[in-house]
Amino acid sequence: MKKYTFIIAIAAMVMAMLPAGETFARKANTRKTENQNAGNIVVRHYGSDDRFIYLQVQLQQNNDKPAVFRIADEMGELLFVDRISSKNHTVTVKFRPEELERIELELTTAEGVFRKKLAVQVKTFSAAVVEEVK
């Protein structure tokens, strides 16, 4: 329960930082917001230990403007949120195997929203297969 409260608190802080008002609404309507080529999100299995699976996520954008990276489970519940402001950013996240059946990664930048869906099959506890779902 503490984990979800923490995630909700982080999400609330990120939402509070986003610009509000008519200007933001106008920008949101003019940018591309659908699933663009998500080649700027690269995920690889980074390792495992007795309780967790580690994924390394490399994010790329064309500028240094602020962006928000989110990971949600198949029910839409946030598992991870990170605010970035560099062209290249790498983050390592850890998950329990039961959280990873299907996840959706979303990078919201000034150019649009990039999404990638992943299915993770745990073969043995020390190995996992990560595939993009279309």
Side-chain angles (χ1 to χ4, degrees), residues 46-97:
Y46 192 67
S48 308
D49 63 19
D50 289 342
R51 297 184 326 192
F52 297 103
I53 294 173
Y54 298 89
L55 299 178
Q56 185 178 59
V57 182
Q58 296 173 331
L59 306 167
Q60 297 177 347
Q61 59 175 346
N62 295 330
N63 53 45
D64 290 337
K65 292 184 178 179
V68 178
F69 174 64
R70 296 177 186 90
I71 300 176
D73 66 8
E74 62 187 317
M75 303 302 284
E77 187 171 329
L78 282 176
L79 301 173
F80 181 82
V81 177
D82 194 13
R83 188 171 172 90
I84 62 172
S85 60
S86 61
K87 286 185 179 182
N88 298 310
H89 184 76
T90 301
V91 62
T92 303
V93 277
K94 68 179 183 178
F95 296 101
R96 285 178 273 140

Side-chain angles (χ1 to χ4, degrees), residues 89-108:
H89 184 76
T90 301
V91 62
T92 303
V93 277
K94 68 179 183 178
F95 296 101
R96 285 178 273 140
E98 60 269 14
E99 293 177 318
L100 282 179
E101 208 169 300
R102 288 191 183 267
I103 57 175
E104 181 174 303
L105 293 83
E106 179 181 285
L107 179 62
T108 305

